[in-house]
Amino acid sequence: MIDRPTIERILDAAQIVDVIQEFVPLKKRGVNYLGLCPFHNEKTPSFTVSPSKEIFKCFGCGKVGNAVNFIMEHEHLTYPEALKFLARKYHIEVFEKELTQEEIEKQNERESLLVVTAYAARQFSENLFQSDEGMKVGLTYFKERGFRQNTLKKFEVGYSFEKRDAFSKKALDDGYKKDFLVKTGLSISHEDHIFDRFSGRVMFPIHSLSGQVLGFGGRVLKTDAKTAKYLNSPESEIYHKSRILYGIFQARKAITQEDKCYLVEGYTDVMSLHEANVENVVASSGTSLTQEQVRLIKRFTPNITILYDGDPAGIKASIRGIDIVLEEGMNVKIVLLPDGEDPDSYSKKTSNEEFTRFLKEKETDFIRFKTRLLLDEAASDPVKKVNLIRDIVRSIAVIPESISRTVYIKECSSLMEVPEAVLYHEVNKMRQQRSFQDRNKYPGPEDLPVPPPVIPKSVKHEVTTYVSEKEIVRLLLKFGSNEFERKIRTEDGTEEVTTVADYIVNEIISDDLKFDDTVCGTIFEEFKFATQQGIFIEDKVFIKHEDPMISRLSADILAESHQLSRIWKDKQTFVETEDMKLRSVVPDAVLKFKGDKIKVRLKEIMTQLEEAVKEGDKDKVLALQRKDQNLKATLTLISQQLGNRILL
Ligand SMILES: [Zn+2]
């Protein structure tokens, strides 16, 4: 937990133009800045940054927010992570709320391990590019495989010397603790000796989403070596291979922009695709894909395309693992490479254009691919065909959305020549079994038993109330401190000014009305507190609010009004601005808000009435009818008032 004063120092320091300019080239246009939106593909800029309002808004895709929201969205960070990111940029020391002794130790250890892996990555890179052995053995290997220098630097590859304790000795000499060297798995301690895990290997650092080195993969170069060709860091406090994807740090921007992620098998496949201008690519580095890895990709895109070497046995072994991707509701596609090729070799053999075209043209939907693949060998064997159907049904059954399942059932039915009804039956049976095993995991509507028809107890959240709630918040944010009316008190002749916030707060609390939407409700509560204390709140308080939902909504609201004024200015015509009409706009919004609340209340009363009638409780029926009549009368009054004003 970062403490409040630190958060405020970070928010004060983070100048939005400065923050965004690091990622998006901006040009000054009038009082604002304009650039190409990083969140969607566009050719003409519609991404606007307002330094005075301290917000950004894209008029193309609608993304909006403050500096912290931008970092969260762009770097895929959580709120505290984004704050720390900005703190580093502005050299602000982050004070965190007290952690337990255990938490502090764990955090310190994590940080110490990260310091060691970062050091190791630097050492290995130095070895590769600057030492005789590294250049002769390691660099030659990469050059022979056709890799360019900038790619090697981009992935921070390196070389670990042949001598069995070269790295460990150097690290100890440079003051790194043996304990941490062993815990990262870089060194192995045996009795009084310390050895390198990765000797005589080219090294591939494995980065976190934010670019920290968590672990390494090392490839041995000697052909006669008796050890495994590839060796990975062991699991540690910082390296969990099931949660990491190789290349995600270098790919995340392209994955968002292309709205797709390619999945390959090896480190060099990832690097080769980058050289072929395909940068939205990651590798699961040898392990079969895990749920955590799929979710990592899902943070950036729902679309995943897996590249397979043209080896049927290998494909069959690995397609079973794909169900885990389908389960997450991802769209899975497959590209099958020509016989004998892997992504590395094939991307080098073809031109970049040919390769990109190949990926586009050969992309097949996963279930279709699997069906065809298995159908080929099951063609004339009825037993195999039954197994195939079961296999395909299992894949379809894990897909969370029923529409996608329906589409697949139709298609597989015609491919396998099995009636749709049979497939439906099998899919539903399997889903029922699954939901029995794993009850709350994927509650599709058809998994649930059909409930007996009952009258709903209460209508909790009407969509319409959100519109009027948001309008109240908009008026508070935009005009809260504007003068609403000015009265001369008859007793002593003093002048009394009511602000828009005073008026709204009084109207709403005197009727004891509540907000349904929590974000709107929180903003209202803060205005209520401020007006009752006689404090003036600036809209910036909300734009910089620590709750990202609140900062986004307020940025959105303030950006909207900004867009309107821009349109008016462009047309060069006089338009009566909203602040000239507050005397009518504000009471209208309050009436609309009250009317909506009454409508919701009326629905609730109606269901209560039905119940009371069923129970035969006459007193209750009468009381409810009275309430109903009163509310209806109020509602009529409100509509008249709103109607009258419109007529005026
Ligand atoms: Zn956009």
CSV table of all heavy atoms in Angstrom, one decimal, residues 36-42 46-47 57-63, ligand 1:
chain,number,residue,atom,x,y,z
A,36,LEU,N,-1.6,10.3,-32.6
A,36,LEU,CA,-2.2,9.1,-33.0
A,36,LEU,C,-2.5,8.2,-31.8
A,36,LEU,O,-1.6,8.0,-31.0
A,36,LEU,CB,-1.4,8.3,-34.0
A,36,LEU,CG,-1.2,9.0,-35.4
A,36,LEU,CD1,-0.1,8.3,-36.2
A,36,LEU,CD2,-2.6,9.0,-36.2
A,37,CYS,N,-3.7,7.7,-31.7
A,37,CYS,CA,-4.1,6.9,-30.5
A,37,CYS,C,-3.3,5.6,-30.4
A,37,CYS,O,-3.2,4.9,-31.4
A,37,CYS,CB,-5.6,6.6,-30.6
A,37,CYS,SG,-6.2,5.7,-29.2
A,38,PRO,N,-2.8,5.4,-29.2
A,38,PRO,CA,-2.0,4.1,-29.1
A,38,PRO,C,-2.9,2.9,-28.8
A,38,PRO,O,-2.5,1.8,-28.7
A,38,PRO,CB,-1.1,4.4,-27.8
A,38,PRO,CG,-1.9,5.4,-27.1
A,38,PRO,CD,-2.7,6.2,-28.0
A,39,PHE,N,-4.2,3.2,-28.6
A,39,PHE,CA,-5.1,2.1,-28.2
A,39,PHE,C,-5.9,1.6,-29.4
A,39,PHE,O,-6.6,0.6,-29.2
A,39,PHE,CB,-6.1,2.6,-27.1
A,39,PHE,CG,-5.3,3.1,-25.9
A,39,PHE,CD1,-5.4,4.4,-25.5
A,39,PHE,CD2,-4.5,2.3,-25.2
A,39,PHE,CE1,-4.7,4.9,-24.4
A,39,PHE,CE2,-3.8,2.7,-24.1
A,39,PHE,CZ,-3.9,4.1,-23.7
A,40,HIS,N,-5.9,2.3,-30.5
A,40,HIS,CA,-6.6,1.7,-31.7
A,40,HIS,C,-5.8,2.2,-32.9
A,40,HIS,O,-5.0,3.1,-32.8
A,40,HIS,CB,-8.1,2.0,-31.7
A,40,HIS,CG,-8.4,3.4,-32.3
A,40,HIS,ND1,-8.2,4.6,-31.6
A,40,HIS,CD2,-8.8,3.7,-33.5
A,40,HIS,CE1,-8.6,5.6,-32.3
A,40,HIS,NE2,-9.0,5.1,-33.5
A,41,ASN,N,-6.0,1.4,-34.0
A,41,ASN,CA,-5.2,1.8,-35.2
A,41,ASN,C,-5.9,3.0,-35.9
A,41,ASN,O,-7.1,2.9,-36.2
A,41,ASN,CB,-5.2,0.6,-36.2
A,41,ASN,CG,-3.9,-0.2,-36.0
A,41,ASN,OD1,-2.9,0.4,-35.8
A,41,ASN,ND2,-4.0,-1.5,-36.0
A,42,GLU,N,-5.2,4.1,-36.1
A,42,GLU,CA,-5.8,5.2,-36.9
A,42,GLU,C,-4.7,5.9,-37.7
A,42,GLU,O,-3.6,5.8,-37.4
A,42,GLU,CB,-6.5,6.1,-35.9
A,42,GLU,CG,-5.6,6.8,-34.9
A,42,GLU,CD,-6.3,7.8,-34.0
A,42,GLU,OE1,-7.5,7.9,-34.1
A,42,GLU,OE2,-5.6,8.6,-33.3
A,46,SER,N,-6.9,11.4,-33.5
A,46,SER,CA,-8.0,11.8,-32.7
A,46,SER,C,-7.8,11.7,-31.2
A,46,SER,O,-8.7,11.8,-30.4
A,46,SER,CB,-9.3,11.0,-33.2
A,46,SER,OG,-9.0,9.7,-33.1
A,47,PHE,N,-6.5,11.5,-30.9
A,47,PHE,CA,-6.2,11.3,-29.5
A,47,PHE,C,-5.8,12.7,-28.9
A,47,PHE,O,-4.8,13.3,-29.4
A,47,PHE,CB,-5.0,10.3,-29.4
A,47,PHE,CG,-4.5,10.0,-28.0
A,47,PHE,CD1,-5.2,9.1,-27.2
A,47,PHE,CD2,-3.4,10.6,-27.5
A,47,PHE,CE1,-4.8,8.8,-26.0
A,47,PHE,CE2,-3.0,10.3,-26.2
A,47,PHE,CZ,-3.7,9.4,-25.5
A,57,LYS,N,-8.2,12.1,-24.0
A,57,LYS,CA,-9.4,11.4,-24.6
A,57,LYS,C,-9.2,11.1,-26.0
A,57,LYS,O,-8.7,11.9,-26.8
A,57,LYS,CB,-10.7,12.3,-24.4
A,57,LYS,CG,-11.9,11.7,-25.2
A,57,LYS,CD,-13.2,11.8,-24.4
A,57,LYS,CE,-14.2,11.1,-25.2
A,57,LYS,NZ,-15.4,10.8,-24.5
A,58,CYS,N,-9.6,9.9,-26.4
A,58,CYS,CA,-9.5,9.5,-27.8
A,58,CYS,C,-10.9,9.6,-28.4
A,58,CYS,O,-11.8,8.9,-27.9
A,58,CYS,CB,-9.0,8.1,-28.1
A,58,CYS,SG,-9.1,7.6,-29.8
A,59,PHE,N,-11.1,10.5,-29.4
A,59,PHE,CA,-12.5,10.6,-30.0
A,59,PHE,C,-12.8,9.5,-31.0
A,59,PHE,O,-13.8,9.5,-31.5
A,59,PHE,CB,-12.6,12.0,-30.6
A,59,PHE,CG,-12.6,13.1,-29.5
A,59,PHE,CD1,-11.5,13.9,-29.2
A,59,PHE,CD2,-13.8,13.3,-28.8
A,59,PHE,CE1,-11.5,14.8,-28.2
A,59,PHE,CE2,-13.8,14.3,-27.8
A,59,PHE,CZ,-12.7,15.0,-27.5
A,60,GLY,N,-11.7,8.7,-31.2
A,60,GLY,CA,-12.0,7.5,-32.1
A,60,GLY,C,-12.5,6.3,-31.3
A,60,GLY,O,-13.5,5.8,-31.6
A,61,CYS,N,-11.8,5.9,-30.3
A,61,CYS,CA,-12.2,4.7,-29.6
A,61,CYS,C,-12.8,5.0,-28.2
A,61,CYS,O,-13.3,4.1,-27.5
A,61,CYS,CB,-11.0,3.7,-29.4
A,61,CYS,SG,-9.7,4.3,-28.4
A,62,GLY,N,-12.7,6.2,-27.8
A,62,GLY,CA,-13.4,6.6,-26.5
A,62,GLY,C,-12.6,6.4,-25.3
A,62,GLY,O,-13.0,6.7,-24.2
A,63,LYS,N,-11.3,6.0,-25.4
A,63,LYS,CA,-10.5,5.8,-24.2
A,63,LYS,C,-10.3,7.2,-23.6
A,63,LYS,O,-10.0,8.2,-24.2
A,63,LYS,CB,-9.2,5.2,-24.5
A,63,LYS,CG,-9.2,3.7,-24.8
A,63,LYS,CD,-8.8,2.9,-23.6
A,63,LYS,CE,-9.4,1.5,-23.5
A,63,LYS,NZ,-9.0,0.7,-24.7
B,1,ZN,ZN,-8.3,5.5,-29.7
